[in-house]
Amino acid sequence: MLEIKNITKIYDNTVLALNNVSFTVPRGQFLAVVGLSGSGKSTLLRCINRLIEPTSGQIILEGIDVTAAQPDELRRIRRRIGMIFQHFNLVLRSPVINNVLAGRLGYTNPAWSLLNRFSKGDMEMALKQLDRVGIKDKAHVRADELSGGQQQRVGIARALMQEPSIMLADEPVASLDPVLAHSIMQYLEQLRDEGITVICSLHFLDLVQRYADRAIALKDGNLVFDGSPSEIDDKRFKEIYGEEAQRIG
Amino acid sequence: MKKSSPSFIRILGRIALVVAIIIIYAFGLQVTKVDLEKPQEAKRQEQLTNILRGLAHPDLVEYEIDRVIIDTPILVPCDGPAPPVAPAEPGPVISLSTNCAAPGEKIIVSGSGFEAGEDVYIYFVPFAQNADSEIELKLANSAVEVGDGGSFAKEVTLKRDRISEQVQTVRAVVNRQLGSPAPSTGLKETWNKIVETVFLAFIATTLGVIFAVPVSFLAARNLMLEVTSNFTRFMASLAVMPVGAWLGYSIFKGLADYGAQFVGAKPAGEAFLWALLPLVGLASVQVTAQTGNAALKAVRRWLVSGLVVAVAVIGFSMLGQLGRVAGLEWKQTLGDWSFFGNLVLIFSDVIVLGLPALGAFIGLFMLNPVINRILEPLLPKLSPAVGKVLAVGFAVLAGAVLFGVVAAALNWFYEFGNLSDVVAVPAVIGAVAFAGLAVAFDPHRPIPTGMFVYYVIRTIMNTFRSIEPLVMVVAFAVWVGIGPFAGVMALGLHTIVALGKLYSEQVENIAAGPIEAVTATGANRLQTIVYAVIPQIVPPYIAFTLYRWDINVRMSTIIGFGGGGGIGFLLSQNINLLKYRQASVNMIAIAIVVASLDYLSAKVREKIT
Ligand SMILES: Nc1ncnc2c1ncn2[C@@H]1O[C@H](COP(=O)(O)OP(=O)(O)O)[C@@H](O)[C@H]1O
Ligand SMILES: [Mg+2]
């Protein structure tokens, strides 16, 4: 279970990106985060694994206070939180397999990993994850030779190397061809079915309604909706996205 | 019409501007002593001609010279019968209009059987008791050129003061080139110096790169921005780092000296036994502390690692000392392979000099994480009062240490007086000042330590970067003597700061996404750098290294003008000695080396990008 308690984030003492946001995610739920650009979705997701330091509030993951963790403990917590990104965030010049193995760094002996040595078990696991996302044959090509959809699969494989109990996904399909979106979303759905909590920010409401168990909405850093995706009717939609917004999905 | 006054002011302004420009140029031409009369003076033009002709005739090859001498007898003054002339042999011969003449008389020297176009020098050889004391006096100021038929005739005036009752000699000399051309001495010298130059650039670049890479990480804003601390921890670090450096230095120096005494000084067997001592300690710790609680185990771990380090330092110190002895020996005895002895000597010196420095370095950075590791979890748990006391305590220490160190450094430069007297007052002032800071600031106030380091390193780099290597080398030449080593040091130092800056800009340009992603997996900082930063910077680093190598080759060709060895040193000497033909060879060599390495590195750069 993940508890977000009164999280506030103020950038540079001026920009209020999250304003006292609280919610709880039970284990194995697919939670969609929606909202306009700049509403604070990315900030929220990054506060959960403290890529961004929240200004105040608490994050409790399975009873452990993430916000109070010291660096060593924080790294141990992060191992259990997978993350995929809108722009995939691969090391483009490195081979795919190295990108995937990077997901294992939290578990490996730092000295060995600095020499680019991974255990046989880790290597096998990396190939297995690549197989799972259907690009095992690409293991030794450079990441920049892959298409966007393939790169995002590498991103998923990297996150899976962490054996996560939570998967954070920050607009995972926003820079992909819409027809590729579903294949990526289906991998996330599978993870949810395996008991991994998925927290995914999304732009398109049709994806939310098709994949998410629950949706929360942010507007200017405030939590303005928390409920089932099907509850987002036209009135709610206008509340979240503003009066001028047109529903397209 | 009413508007005339603003435009009048504008015209006045323009006139003032023109006048100002004229004054600036007039002054500039005055101070730079531009003088178009000078280059036209006959003397200057002759000098220019000399230089240009010299440069146009590079001293590349030389021949073995055969000095062909043709003598004919003459009696001066003509107090007796003319001396008999030997019968003509095959080859060049000369004859005189008279073989018996008065001092100062004009005679005609004619020759035949010479080669057309060659230069003949005509001398008068006064009578000498033996051949060794023979001297040649020029009869004609310049060489006589042999005509098409192989003959010449030249009127010369006999010396007035060279009179003798004995038969004297008129001599014709031609210098004939023998055999095939061989490289001249100047060319050989040039070759040696060019090799020196290229290696000078090579070693300086290598050294520069080795140091510039770590420096570039410390000078990259995007990496350093995230390194933060809080007030108490920052004060603790400030207090602890100089102490750590001093401790590390002292411990390593002590251990190294302990190891060094065995080499040469004591019999090998005894030395071996003494050297075993720390190993025995290590083993005994291992044996005695097999069990125990966590604390005991931690203590044992520390002891063991400490002893391992101690054994390593002692071992390396002995190795270094042995290497020095061996290196010196081999340098003398290995003949052609003596450069290998030199390598051993240099490496050994690096070990011997480097051990205490390494100790200082480890101490500088070891104690800091240790104290942070203790304080980081501890601080949030402390009550505000205790936290404040701790902050003030560390601040007092930090202020005292910081001001003390600065005072000691200033004392070294300006020699104020006795070290302990000079340091005491600033240390107290520092302690009080920092205690004030600690009272004023919240102990948890975040401190951007990373940016602090960033600005310090940037400032140092910008300062040194603005000093040209050609200027730096003057200082190094004073320190280590004129020669390529001074050049290596100057170029190396400049390479560190220049490349450090270029590299760090590359780090700042990398994509942040992969760093974020790798951090999110739970990787530590070093792993993040290795997996997310380094793969991104390798290509630009190689490109900039090659670019710097280019610059270093160019610089190394002139660093000799400042005392840095290499071809530049030879060139400056040749110019000063007016040996323009040799200087010409040097310049040609420089042009070839620079152009070909330019081409080479362009090719390599094409390959990697
Ligand atoms: N590093 C930052 N510094 C300052 N302001 C930021 C930073 N990152 C995001 N913001 C601001 O915080 C708000 C929320 O941004 P973000 O979390 O990226 O929203 P979303 O992901 O929903 O588009 C925006 O107003 C944005 O401008
Ligand atoms: Mg975003």
Side-chain angles (χ1 to χ4, degrees), chain B residues 270-308:
Chain B
E270 191 191 343
F272 182 71
L273 287 180
W274 276 103
L276 277 182
L277 200 61
L279 276 175
V280 174
L282 190 62
S284 56
V285 172
Q286 282 282 13
V287 170
T288 51
Q290 285 304 350
T291 52
N293 59 13
L296 214 66
K297 275 190 180 142
V299 169
R300 190 171 70 110
R301 235 193 349 260
W302 276 98
L303 256 176
V304 170
S305 16
L307 277 168
V308 167

Short mmCIF file of all heavy atoms in Angstrom, two decimals, chain B residues 270-308:
data_model
loop_
_atom_site.label_atom_id
_atom_site.label_comp_id
_atom_site.label_asym_id
_atom_site.label_seq_id
_atom_site.Cartn_x
_atom_site.Cartn_y
_atom_site.Cartn_z
N GLU B 270 66.84 -9.93 7.53
CA GLU B 270 66.27 -9.16 8.63
C GLU B 270 65.13 -8.27 8.13
O GLU B 270 64.07 -8.18 8.74
CB GLU B 270 67.36 -8.31 9.28
CG GLU B 270 66.93 -7.68 10.57
CD GLU B 270 67.93 -6.63 11.02
OE1 GLU B 270 69.08 -6.64 10.52
OE2 GLU B 270 67.56 -5.80 11.85
N ALA B 271 65.38 -7.61 6.98
CA ALA B 271 64.38 -6.73 6.40
C ALA B 271 63.10 -7.49 6.14
O ALA B 271 62.00 -7.03 6.44
CB ALA B 271 64.91 -6.13 5.10
N PHE B 272 63.24 -8.69 5.61
CA PHE B 272 62.08 -9.51 5.29
C PHE B 272 61.27 -9.80 6.56
O PHE B 272 60.05 -9.66 6.59
CB PHE B 272 62.56 -10.81 4.63
CG PHE B 272 61.44 -11.70 4.22
CD1 PHE B 272 60.63 -11.36 3.13
CD2 PHE B 272 61.19 -12.87 4.90
CE1 PHE B 272 59.61 -12.18 2.75
CE2 PHE B 272 60.15 -13.70 4.52
CZ PHE B 272 59.36 -13.36 3.45
N LEU B 273 61.97 -10.16 7.63
CA LEU B 273 61.28 -10.47 8.89
C LEU B 273 60.54 -9.24 9.41
O LEU B 273 59.39 -9.34 9.84
CB LEU B 273 62.30 -10.96 9.93
CG LEU B 273 62.81 -12.38 9.67
CD1 LEU B 273 63.80 -12.79 10.74
CD2 LEU B 273 61.64 -13.36 9.62
N TRP B 274 61.19 -8.09 9.37
CA TRP B 274 60.54 -6.87 9.84
C TRP B 274 59.30 -6.56 9.01
O TRP B 274 58.27 -6.16 9.53
CB TRP B 274 61.50 -5.68 9.78
CG TRP B 274 62.37 -5.59 10.99
CD1 TRP B 274 63.68 -5.94 11.09
CD2 TRP B 274 61.99 -5.10 12.27
NE1 TRP B 274 64.14 -5.72 12.35
CE2 TRP B 274 63.13 -5.21 13.11
CE3 TRP B 274 60.80 -4.62 12.81
CZ2 TRP B 274 63.10 -4.82 14.44
CZ3 TRP B 274 60.80 -4.23 14.14
CH2 TRP B 274 61.92 -4.34 14.95
N ALA B 275 59.45 -6.76 7.72
CA ALA B 275 58.33 -6.44 6.84
C ALA B 275 57.15 -7.36 7.10
O ALA B 275 56.00 -7.02 6.83
CB ALA B 275 58.77 -6.56 5.38
N LEU B 276 57.43 -8.55 7.66
CA LEU B 276 56.35 -9.50 7.95
C LEU B 276 55.50 -9.05 9.12
O LEU B 276 54.38 -9.51 9.30
CB LEU B 276 56.94 -10.88 8.26
CG LEU B 276 57.29 -11.73 7.04
CD1 LEU B 276 57.81 -13.08 7.51
CD2 LEU B 276 56.07 -11.91 6.15
N LEU B 277 56.06 -8.13 9.94
CA LEU B 277 55.41 -7.76 11.19
C LEU B 277 53.94 -7.37 11.01
O LEU B 277 53.06 -7.93 11.68
CB LEU B 277 56.20 -6.62 11.85
CG LEU B 277 55.95 -6.46 13.33
CD1 LEU B 277 56.35 -7.72 14.09
CD2 LEU B 277 56.71 -5.26 13.87
N PRO B 278 53.64 -6.43 10.11
CA PRO B 278 52.22 -6.07 9.96
C PRO B 278 51.36 -7.24 9.50
O PRO B 278 50.21 -7.35 9.89
CB PRO B 278 52.23 -4.96 8.90
CG PRO B 278 53.62 -4.85 8.42
CD PRO B 278 54.52 -5.63 9.29
N LEU B 279 51.95 -8.14 8.71
CA LEU B 279 51.21 -9.31 8.25
C LEU B 279 50.82 -10.18 9.43
O LEU B 279 49.71 -10.71 9.52
CB LEU B 279 52.06 -10.12 7.26
CG LEU B 279 51.99 -9.63 5.82
CD1 LEU B 279 52.97 -10.41 4.96
CD2 LEU B 279 50.58 -9.76 5.28
N VAL B 280 51.78 -10.29 10.38
CA VAL B 280 51.51 -11.08 11.58
C VAL B 280 50.35 -10.45 12.34
O VAL B 280 49.42 -11.14 12.79
CB VAL B 280 52.77 -11.15 12.47
CG1 VAL B 280 52.46 -11.83 13.79
CG2 VAL B 280 53.89 -11.88 11.73
N GLY B 281 50.37 -9.12 12.43
CA GLY B 281 49.28 -8.43 13.11
C GLY B 281 47.95 -8.73 12.44
O GLY B 281 46.95 -9.04 13.11
N LEU B 282 47.97 -8.68 11.13
CA LEU B 282 46.76 -8.94 10.35
C LEU B 282 46.22 -10.33 10.65
O LEU B 282 45.03 -10.51 10.94
CB LEU B 282 47.10 -8.81 8.87
CG LEU B 282 45.96 -8.80 7.89
CD1 LEU B 282 45.08 -7.60 8.16
CD2 LEU B 282 46.48 -8.74 6.47
N ALA B 283 47.12 -11.30 10.62
CA ALA B 283 46.71 -12.68 10.86
C ALA B 283 46.15 -12.82 12.27
O ALA B 283 45.12 -13.47 12.47
CB ALA B 283 47.91 -13.60 10.65
N SER B 284 46.81 -12.19 13.25
CA SER B 284 46.36 -12.38 14.62
C SER B 284 44.98 -11.79 14.83
O SER B 284 44.15 -12.36 15.53
CB SER B 284 47.38 -11.81 15.61
OG SER B 284 47.59 -10.45 15.30
N VAL B 285 44.73 -10.64 14.17
CA VAL B 285 43.39 -10.07 14.30
C VAL B 285 42.37 -11.03 13.70
O VAL B 285 41.31 -11.29 14.27
CB VAL B 285 43.32 -8.71 13.59
CG1 VAL B 285 41.89 -8.21 13.55
CG2 VAL B 285 44.18 -7.70 14.31
N GLN B 286 42.70 -11.58 12.56
CA GLN B 286 41.79 -12.52 11.90
C GLN B 286 41.49 -13.70 12.81
O GLN B 286 40.35 -14.17 12.89
CB GLN B 286 42.43 -13.03 10.59
CG GLN B 286 42.37 -12.06 9.45
CD GLN B 286 40.99 -12.02 8.82
OE1 GLN B 286 40.03 -12.54 9.36
NE2 GLN B 286 40.89 -11.37 7.68
N VAL B 287 42.53 -14.22 13.45
CA VAL B 287 42.37 -15.44 14.24
C VAL B 287 41.60 -15.16 15.52
O VAL B 287 40.67 -15.88 15.88
CB VAL B 287 43.75 -16.05 14.57
CG1 VAL B 287 43.60 -17.18 15.59
CG2 VAL B 287 44.39 -16.57 13.29
N THR B 288 41.94 -14.06 16.20
CA THR B 288 41.38 -13.86 17.54
C THR B 288 39.93 -13.44 17.52
O THR B 288 39.20 -13.71 18.46
CB THR B 288 42.18 -12.78 18.29
OG1 THR B 288 42.28 -11.65 17.46
CG2 THR B 288 43.55 -13.28 18.69
N ALA B 289 39.46 -12.76 16.46
CA ALA B 289 38.12 -12.20 16.52
C ALA B 289 37.16 -12.92 15.57
O ALA B 289 36.52 -12.31 14.74
CB ALA B 289 38.15 -10.71 16.21
N GLN B 290 37.09 -14.25 15.68
CA GLN B 290 36.19 -14.97 14.79
C GLN B 290 34.75 -14.77 15.17
O GLN B 290 33.87 -14.79 14.33
CB GLN B 290 36.53 -16.47 14.82
CG GLN B 290 37.79 -16.83 14.05
CD GLN B 290 37.75 -16.39 12.60
OE1 GLN B 290 36.72 -15.98 12.09
NE2 GLN B 290 38.89 -16.45 11.93
N THR B 291 34.49 -14.61 16.45
CA THR B 291 33.10 -14.47 16.88
C THR B 291 32.89 -13.08 17.46
O THR B 291 33.80 -12.26 17.47
CB THR B 291 32.78 -15.51 17.96
OG1 THR B 291 33.77 -15.40 18.97
CG2 THR B 291 32.74 -16.90 17.39
N GLY B 292 31.69 -12.86 17.95
CA GLY B 292 31.42 -11.58 18.59
C GLY B 292 30.20 -10.92 18.02
O GLY B 292 29.66 -11.36 17.00
N ASN B 293 29.77 -9.85 18.65
CA ASN B 293 28.56 -9.17 18.18
C ASN B 293 28.89 -8.23 17.02
O ASN B 293 30.04 -8.14 16.58
CB ASN B 293 27.90 -8.42 19.34
CG ASN B 293 28.84 -7.41 19.95
OD1 ASN B 293 29.88 -7.11 19.36
ND2 ASN B 293 28.50 -6.91 21.10
N ALA B 294 27.86 -7.53 16.57
CA ALA B 294 28.00 -6.72 15.37
C ALA B 294 29.08 -5.64 15.55
O ALA B 294 29.90 -5.41 14.66
CB ALA B 294 26.67 -6.07 15.02
N ALA B 295 29.07 -5.00 16.73
CA ALA B 295 30.02 -3.91 16.96
C ALA B 295 31.45 -4.43 16.87
O ALA B 295 32.32 -3.83 16.24
CB ALA B 295 29.77 -3.29 18.33
N LEU B 296 31.65 -5.58 17.50
CA LEU B 296 32.99 -6.17 17.50
C LEU B 296 33.42 -6.49 16.07
O LEU B 296 34.55 -6.27 15.67
CB LEU B 296 32.98 -7.44 18.35
CG LEU B 296 34.28 -7.72 19.10
CD1 LEU B 296 34.51 -6.65 20.16
CD2 LEU B 296 34.24 -9.09 19.73
N LYS B 297 32.45 -7.01 15.31
CA LYS B 297 32.76 -7.35 13.92
C LYS B 297 33.13 -6.10 13.13
O LYS B 297 34.04 -6.12 12.31
CB LYS B 297 31.55 -8.04 13.28
CG LYS B 297 31.53 -9.53 13.56
CD LYS B 297 30.47 -10.22 12.72
CE LYS B 297 30.46 -11.71 13.02
NZ LYS B 297 29.09 -12.25 13.02
N ALA B 298 32.39 -5.02 13.40
CA ALA B 298 32.68 -3.77 12.69
C ALA B 298 34.09 -3.30 13.02
O ALA B 298 34.87 -2.93 12.13
CB ALA B 298 31.67 -2.70 13.06
N VAL B 299 34.41 -3.36 14.32
CA VAL B 299 35.75 -2.96 14.74
C VAL B 299 36.79 -3.82 14.02
O VAL B 299 37.81 -3.33 13.52
CB VAL B 299 35.91 -3.11 16.27
CG1 VAL B 299 37.36 -2.95 16.67
CG2 VAL B 299 35.04 -2.08 16.97
N ARG B 300 36.51 -5.11 13.97
CA ARG B 300 37.47 -6.02 13.33
C ARG B 300 37.62 -5.68 11.84
O ARG B 300 38.72 -5.66 11.30
CB ARG B 300 36.99 -7.46 13.48
CG ARG B 300 38.03 -8.47 13.06
CD ARG B 300 37.59 -9.86 13.43
NE ARG B 300 36.47 -10.27 12.59
CZ ARG B 300 36.58 -11.21 11.66
NH1 ARG B 300 37.70 -11.82 11.47
NH2 ARG B 300 35.53 -11.53 10.93
N ARG B 301 36.48 -5.36 11.21
CA ARG B 301 36.55 -5.01 9.79
C ARG B 301 37.46 -3.81 9.58
O ARG B 301 38.29 -3.78 8.67
CB ARG B 301 35.14 -4.71 9.27
CG ARG B 301 34.81 -5.55 8.07
CD ARG B 301 33.59 -5.17 7.27
NE ARG B 301 32.69 -4.21 7.80
CZ ARG B 301 31.53 -4.53 8.40
NH1 ARG B 301 31.20 -5.78 8.60
NH2 ARG B 301 30.72 -3.58 8.82
N TRP B 302 37.29 -2.82 10.45
CA TRP B 302 38.11 -1.62 10.34
C TRP B 302 39.58 -1.93 10.54
O TRP B 302 40.44 -1.47 9.80
CB TRP B 302 37.65 -0.58 11.36
CG TRP B 302 36.51 0.22 10.85
CD1 TRP B 302 35.19 0.02 11.13
CD2 TRP B 302 36.57 1.31 9.93
NE1 TRP B 302 34.42 0.91 10.44
CE2 TRP B 302 35.24 1.73 9.70
CE3 TRP B 302 37.61 1.97 9.27
CZ2 TRP B 302 34.93 2.77 8.86
CZ3 TRP B 302 37.29 3.01 8.44
CH2 TRP B 302 35.97 3.41 8.23
N LEU B 303 39.83 -2.77 11.58
CA LEU B 303 41.21 -3.11 11.87
C LEU B 303 41.85 -3.82 10.69
O LEU B 303 42.96 -3.50 10.27
CB LEU B 303 41.24 -4.04 13.09
CG LEU B 303 41.67 -3.39 14.41
CD1 LEU B 303 41.57 -4.41 15.53
CD2 LEU B 303 43.09 -2.86 14.29
N VAL B 304 41.09 -4.80 10.17
CA VAL B 304 41.65 -5.58 9.06
C VAL B 304 41.91 -4.68 7.87
O VAL B 304 43.00 -4.70 7.28
CB VAL B 304 40.69 -6.73 8.68
CG1 VAL B 304 41.14 -7.38 7.39
CG2 VAL B 304 40.65 -7.76 9.80
N SER B 305 40.91 -3.82 7.52
CA SER B 305 41.16 -3.00 6.33
C SER B 305 42.31 -2.03 6.58
O SER B 305 43.12 -1.78 5.68
CB SER B 305 39.90 -2.25 5.86
OG SER B 305 38.93 -2.24 6.85
N GLY B 306 42.39 -1.52 7.81
CA GLY B 306 43.50 -0.64 8.14
C GLY B 306 44.84 -1.34 7.96
O GLY B 306 45.77 -0.80 7.34
N LEU B 307 44.91 -2.56 8.45
CA LEU B 307 46.18 -3.30 8.36
C LEU B 307 46.50 -3.65 6.91
O LEU B 307 47.66 -3.59 6.50
CB LEU B 307 46.10 -4.56 9.21
CG LEU B 307 46.41 -4.31 10.69
CD1 LEU B 307 46.03 -5.51 11.54
CD2 LEU B 307 47.89 -3.99 10.88
N VAL B 308 45.46 -3.99 6.14
CA VAL B 308 45.70 -4.30 4.73
C VAL B 308 46.30 -3.09 4.04
O VAL B 308 47.30 -3.18 3.31
CB VAL B 308 44.40 -4.74 4.03
CG1 VAL B 308 44.57 -4.75 2.52
CG2 VAL B 308 43.98 -6.12 4.52
#
